[in-house]
Amino acid sequence: MAKVKKDAQKKPSAQTPKLKNKDYLEQLRRLHVELVKLQEWVTQEGIKVCVVFEGRDGAGKGGTIKALTERVSPRIFRVVALPAPSEREKSQMYMQRYLPHLPAAGEVVIFDRSWYNRAGVERVMGFCTDEQLDKFLKSVPLVERAIVESGVILLKYWLEVSEEEQTRRLEARIKDGRKIWKLSPMDLKSYSRWYEYSRARDDMFQATDTDYGPWLVADSNDKRRARLNIISDLLSRIPYKNVQREQVKLPKRQKPGSYREPDYPFRRIPEKF
């Protein structure tokens, strides 16, 4: 346990150079080929995979999930990002609204934040009581054991980012019209509570880092390296084989016969570019 906490708090060496985009894309392409192989194996063998992504705001969860899923089928690699619970959901057992999203055979389900909201955001922002938090930390290992014993491969990734890098990224969101939507009022409130989140993370690791559901910590100060490292790690933790398939060859296209292009006034969009 001490090792996990130590790794989570360890800052990367300032000497590590940023990964060049050309090298990043080359390695990402190689990993994408392997993810397609994994997808075919998961489908053929009926494997069930659940991947949880957690971390501080600005740690790079969204970019990592995008890199992980951009070349595979969304019907097999499903991303779950639940909104705030409804009043009805608030009255349910806490884990209840997450359970229907767990994978069936032949699926990889990716949680962009998960049931661990209770141990992080809800705790720090005061959305749950101390009693609710305590019950969650005691019960979630039991639930995860049941998930794993049902045949699900459970992978939990924590993306760790430094104070300085988080500040840089959040400031970039403010200045970039493409990213400003990522910065919610909740993000601004949580930004000022760095050490409260640190305590919440430490308590969460202490209670829920188990042999069957370990927390896998990734340094995400370099986004490109983090994405490659996480995808590579995920591939290493799911035994898969290359599914043999017939060589793909395009068939001959049919002849037009009596078909002629119609003289129709198509409503074409303006070609501005």
Side-chain angles (χ1 to χ4, degrees):
M1 180 59 58
K3 183 178 186 298
V4 175
K5 291 178 67 176
K6 181 179 179 181
D7 289 345
Q9 297 173 349
K10 181 180 178 181
K11 293 186 178 181
S13 170
Q15 304 301 318
T16 304
K18 291 284 186 179
L19 187 63
K20 294 180 179 179
N21 192 53
K22 179 181 178 181
D23 296 333
Y24 165 69
L25 292 176
E26 180 181 342
Q27 293 299 323
L28 185 60
R29 183 184 185 281
R30 178 182 63 81
L31 292 173
H32 280 159
V33 171
E34 293 303 312
L35 284 170
V36 170
K37 293 178 183 178
L38 172 64
Q39 173 178 268
E40 294 180 336
W41 182 254
V42 164
T43 303
Q44 175 178 289
E45 299 298 315
I47 295 171
K48 299 179 286 186
V49 182
C50 178
V51 187
V52 170
F53 281 101
E54 293 288 345
R56 300 179 189 272
D57 295 319
K61 296 180 293 299
T64 300
I65 292 171
K66 181 180 178 181
L68 174 62
T69 60
E70 62 184 347
R71 296 294 180 179
V72 290
S73 170
R75 292 186 295 274
I76 298 171
F77 280 72
R78 294 194 295 108
V79 178
V80 177
L82 298 183
S86 65
E87 289 303 315
R88 180 177 183 276
E89 289 172 330
K90 289 178 182 178
S91 70
Q92 296 174 343
M93 179 182 74
Y94 179 75
M95 289 287 294
Q96 188 171 339
R97 75 185 193 120
Y98 294 98
L99 297 179
H101 298 281
L102 291 175
E107 292 182 341
V108 178
V109 172
I110 300 166
F111 282 92
D112 184 356
R113 292 199 182 275
S114 64
W115 46 89
Y116 283 102
N117 270 344
R118 172 135 296 178
V121 174
E122 291 190 17
R123 168 183 172 166
V124 174
M125 303 308 297
F127 295 153
C128 69
T129 65
D130 290 342
E131 182 182 6
Q132 288 173 324
L133 173 64
D134 184 60
K135 287 182 178 179
F136 170 79
L137 292 177
K138 289 179 179 177
S139 65
V140 73
L142 303 176
V143 175
E144 290 181 353
R145 179 185 285 277
I147 291 172
V148 171
E149 290 180 348
S150 75
V152 174
I153 297 174
L154 176 62
L155 302 174
K156 303 187 304 190
Y157 288 100
W158 175 271
L159 279 64
E160 187 66 24
V161 66
S162 68
E163 294 180 69
E164 297 78 13
E165 182 62 15
Q166 185 194 50
T167 297
R168 189 193 70 77
R169 291 178 187 178
L170 296 184
E171 287 179 342
R173 290 181 183 180
I174 295 172
K175 299 173 184 177
D176 192 334
R178 301 168 300 172
K179 299 179 180 179
I180 189 63
W181 64 272
K182 293 184 177 183
L183 197 61
S184 68
M186 190 67 62
D187 295 331
L188 296 176
K189 290 180 181 178
S190 66
Y191 173 78
S192 65
R193 304 181 183 185
W194 176 271
Y195 291 104
E196 288 184 49
Y197 269 100
S198 294
R199 282 190 285 269
R201 176 204 59 197
D202 295 346
D203 290 345
M204 182 184 74
F205 280 0
Q206 187 68 40
T208 65
D209 181 40
T210 61
D211 291 339
Y212 51 86
W215 277 107
L216 307 169
V217 181
D219 166 24
S220 66
N221 282 287
D222 185 327
K223 288 183 179 181
R224 293 170 182 168
R225 291 185 190 278
R227 293 167 188 169
L228 298 179
N229 288 332
I230 290 171
I231 296 173
S232 177
D233 184 82
L234 182 148
L235 287 166
S236 74
R237 294 177 185 275
I238 305 174
Y240 68 97
K241 296 180 181 179
N242 191 12
V243 176
Q244 296 297 320
R245 59 188 304 175
E246 294 182 6
Q247 185 174 359
V248 179
K249 184 178 180 181
L250 289 176
K252 291 184 178 179
R253 207 187 293 272
Q254 67 179 161
K255 294 181 179 180
S258 62
Y259 177 79
R260 296 292 181 270
E261 289 286 347
D263 182 17
Y264 185 82
F266 293 106
R267 302 174 190 271
R268 300 189 181 276
I269 65 170
E271 297 184 356
K272 298 181 179 180
F273 303 97

